[in-house]
Amino acid sequence: MVALKLFFSFVMFIALSVSSTAAKRHIHMGTQRIDSNWYDAHATFYGDMTGGETMLGACGYGDLFKQGYGLETTALSTALFNNGLTCGACFEIKCHNDPQWCYPHAGSIKVTATNFCPPNYTKPDGNWCNPPLKHFDLSMPMFTKLTVYKAGIIPVNYRRVLCHKKGGVQFQIKGNPWWTLVLLYNVGGAGDIKDVKIKGSRTRSWWSMSRNWGVNWQTGMNLRGQSLSFRVTTGDGKMIEFHNVAPANWQFYQIFDGKLNF
């Protein structure tokens, strides 16, 4: 009888362990997926096939080719941009329900949010970037993967997806001795940044940075002559500490590789 009870206890332990593991796996998969639902929106394009007009922009990125984004980018309307909080997020987009313009079997494209499509309240209609409309202003090469450029604007389905970036998160340090501005790019995972903290080699604790604009974070601390570490949290709550990213002799406008990514 004792042996039988021990056997059933062992079976229950295994069952609970498997159930717990499955639950964790489900949560993990849910995080990886971000959002499996498709939503309605519209899309058009700006710039030309070279992407020259898509550089820089409201998220604070610079040369998107050098920073690894290339032309796989989009500007977001007010409803999606969320005052810059969505910068760096990745989207999967497909042309939807327009037999005249949607390429048959075009599939979908994946793009990173790097800019803002501003609203225009001076015209009575045709303002696709005005709230509450959800709109993607794609680079021309991305738009023409779904349709011909003369389509102008197309209905699309979209969803948030995981950002897949090569290499580590990149940190560019700008500013002056009394004000440090850090541009973060090549962020994987959720892509968008919710919180950044900084610590110098001579400070005892992490100090919160405030968002200046887009993906640029700032602090008024004088950190010259110290190696710098960062604690970065993405929009889904995942946090990574990047230790000693910049050496003590760092200079303004240098770029440092965080080695790790989400």
Side-chain angles (χ1 to χ4, degrees):
M1 182 63 71
V2 173
L4 188 59
K5 287 183 178 180
L6 288 173
F7 173 77
F8 280 114
S9 296
F10 176 76
V11 170
M12 288 299 294
F13 172 78
I14 295 298
L16 288 172
S17 297
V18 172
S19 176
S20 176
T21 302
K24 290 177 181 178
R25 186 181 299 116
H26 176 74
I27 293 170
H28 176 71
M29 290 175 64
T31 302
Q32 295 293 307
R33 189 168 50 240
I34 296 184
D35 190 348
S36 60
N37 296 316
W38 291 91
Y39 302 94
D40 295 329
H42 283 82
T44 186
F45 69 91
Y46 71 114
D48 56 23
M49 290 300 287
T50 68
E53 295 180 39
T54 65
M55 301 297 109
L56 305 176
C59 285
Y61 297 107
D63 186 323
L64 298 175
F65 291 106
K66 292 181 179 179
Q67 293 174 344
Y69 298 100
L71 299 176
E72 298 176 352
T73 62
T74 185
L76 302 177
S77 65
T78 302
L80 292 170
F81 190 67
N82 196 18
N83 292 319
L85 297 177
T86 316
C87 288
C90 295
F91 296 88
E92 184 178 7
I93 301 170
K94 58 185 180 181
C95 190
H96 175 67
N97 199 29
D98 191 342
Q100 179 182 1
W101 295 115
C102 292
Y103 283 150
H105 314 297
S108 62
I109 60 172
K110 293 181 181 178
V111 292
T112 302
T114 59
N115 206 350
F116 175 51
C117 181
N120 184 349
Y121 299 107
T122 63
K123 297 191 302 180
D125 53 32
N127 301 309
W128 296 101
C129 290
N130 286 15
L133 298 178
K134 295 179 178 179
H135 182 79
F136 294 89
D137 211 1
L138 300 166
S139 68
M140 188 175 181
M142 289 295 101
F143 184 78
T144 53
K145 287 182 180 293
L146 302 176
T147 184
V148 293
Y149 78 92
K150 66 180 180 180
I153 187 165
I154 55 172
V156 297
N157 283 161
Y158 77 93
R159 62 181 176 182
R160 280 283 302 272
V161 294
L162 195 69
C163 296
H164 295 281
K165 305 300 181 186
K166 295 181 179 179
V169 173
Q170 303 294 300
F171 299 81
Q172 183 178 20
I173 304 174
K174 299 180 282 187
N176 57 55
W178 302 275
W179 174 67
T180 303
L181 185 71
V182 181
L183 164 66
L184 289 82
Y185 64 92
N186 197 51
V187 180
D192 55 336
I193 302 170
K194 182 171 68 173
D195 184 70
V196 179
K197 291 180 171 59
I198 191 169
K199 183 169 67 172
S201 54
R202 295 197 301 268
T203 62
R204 295 184 177 181
S205 58
W206 292 97
W207 292 83
S208 293
M209 304 186 76
S210 60
R211 187 190 302 272
N212 184 286
W213 62 295
V215 290
N216 288 275
W217 292 74
Q218 65 184 1
T219 178
M221 298 177 63
N222 186 340
L223 295 165
R224 294 297 302 275
Q226 302 182 58
S227 61
L228 303 181
S229 299
F230 297 92
R231 178 185 286 173
V232 181
T233 304
T234 48
D236 60 352
K238 186 175 181 180
M239 184 271 289
I240 294 180
E241 290 184 357
F242 301 84
H243 294 286
N244 300 315
V245 171
N249 62 346
W250 61 267
Q251 300 295 319
F252 289 112
Y253 293 95
Q254 285 185 310
I255 299 170
F256 300 96
D257 188 345
K259 306 297 183 184
L260 306 174
N261 216 320
F262 293 88

